[in-house]
Amino acid sequence: MYKTGLVLSGGGSRGFAHLGAVKALNEKGIFPDIISGTSAGAIVGSLIADGHKPDDIFSLMTSKSFFAYTKFNFFKKGLFNLKNLQKILKKTYTVENTEDLKIPFYACVVNLNEGKAEYLNRGNILDIVTASASVPFLFKPAEINGVSYTDGGLIDNLPVKPLLGKCEKIICVNLIHLKYKKQFRNTKQVLGRIFDILTYHNRKTDISNCDILIEPPSLYGLPYFSNKKAKETFDIGYNYTKKLNITF
């Protein structure tokens, strides 16, 4: 049994709120003993599990524009690939394999070949995190041992399942909300809305398994695919979590 489990949802650029939330939890004396994440939550969660501090991760992920972490893929299985992100993460991780991280970590991915979610906690950390963050159509699926993997948020955007029965308390940070939206001005907004709908409905049952749910409502409307509002997003996660009365 672990004392505290931490679950981080997917949410693109809204993942900066994860960093703010984790920083606030740390200031309350709460540190995760095991972590599970999907997509942006897998990136943040893996770096936390590797021993990096929220402020340092924020500096790393805002050093370039959002799409500077991608590379045009000439529409081959996706508009872009994540090779540039891989280069940065490779220099940042202190270990090569997931099982060697300082904190046990699971990443939710979708096995495209079998059409199911998987929760990976062993193997090359770079491959696993890239697979979890490969948003369908936008990014090329990741290949691991001949299997094609894509964003875990397609099936399970709040991956509580691998932590069930392992923790005294599970803290979940959810970045996805669904409200009425009247207009869509561009392709990014349409894609973001589709992601909202998919991930909102596939996380409902998992929320009931969260002992503490951190779900800042003011994240709604913030972009998925831009880090121009990264500081605002970070502050929302931090301030919302800071105000919560969390005691164990």
Side-chain angles (χ1 to χ4, degrees), residues 60-247:
L60 174 71
M61 300 308 296
T62 55
S63 62
K64 300 178 184 293
S65 66
F66 182 87
F67 282 98
Y69 293 101
T70 69
K71 190 174 182 180
F72 187 60
N73 201 53
F74 300 100
F75 299 95
K76 295 179 180 179
K77 301 182 183 180
L79 293 175
F80 304 93
N81 61 51
L82 293 172
K83 288 184 177 179
N84 289 341
L85 175 63
Q86 286 183 315
K87 291 178 182 178
I88 293 170
L89 291 178
K90 187 175 183 178
K91 294 179 181 178
T92 306
Y93 288 129
T94 63
V95 299
E96 184 174 341
N97 293 315
T98 307
E99 58 267 32
D100 296 325
L101 292 167
K102 293 179 176 65
I103 300 173
F105 170 75
Y106 288 85
C108 177
V109 299
V110 169
N111 183 322
L112 279 180
N113 299 87
E114 297 188 28
K116 66 178 184 179
E118 295 182 5
Y119 305 91
L120 306 182
N121 69 335
R122 300 186 68 83
N124 185 278
I125 184 63
L126 195 60
D127 290 342
I128 289 172
V129 169
T130 301
S132 185
S134 295
V135 179
F137 305 116
L138 186 61
F139 301 126
K140 176 185 176 182
E143 300 289 330
I144 304 176
N145 298 324
V147 178
S148 295
Y149 290 99
T150 193
D151 194 318
L154 189 62
I155 293 179
D156 188 355
N157 200 51
L158 193 66
V160 182
K161 291 181 180 68
L163 302 194
L164 293 179
K166 294 184 176 73
C167 307
E168 294 179 16
K169 296 286 185 180
I170 297 178
I171 300 174
C172 299
V173 186
N174 179 51
L175 308 178
I176 306 299
H177 302 272
L178 193 62
K179 297 180 181 179
Y180 175 78
K181 188 173 180 65
K182 185 177 181 179
Q183 294 180 327
F184 305 94
R185 294 191 298 271
N186 52 51
T187 303
K188 283 202 297 184
Q189 287 191 356
V190 173
L191 185 61
R193 183 61 171 180
I194 292 171
F195 188 73
D196 272 344
I197 294 169
L198 281 172
T199 54
Y200 178 82
H201 289 288
N202 72 28
R203 66 81 169 114
K204 280 186 176 179
T205 54
D206 291 318
I207 280 182
S208 63
N209 292 312
C210 301
D211 295 294
I212 297 168
L213 177 63
I214 299 172
E215 193 176 54
S218 51
L219 287 175
Y220 184 79
L222 291 178
Y224 281 118
F225 309 114
S226 170
N227 58 8
K228 291 181 179 179
K229 293 189 176 182
K231 185 61 168 62
E232 177 184 345
T233 307
F234 179 98
D235 288 344
I236 287 173
Y238 176 81
N239 292 326
Y240 184 87
T241 306
K242 193 74 173 174
K243 292 176 182 177
L244 295 178
N245 182 23
I246 302 175
T247 56

Side-chain angles (χ1 to χ4, degrees), residues 8-16 18 38-45 132-133 151 175:
L8 304 177
S9 81
S13 301
R14 297 182 192 179
F16 290 110
H18 284 322
T38 293
S39 198
I43 295 173
V44 171
S132 185
D151 194 318
L175 308 178

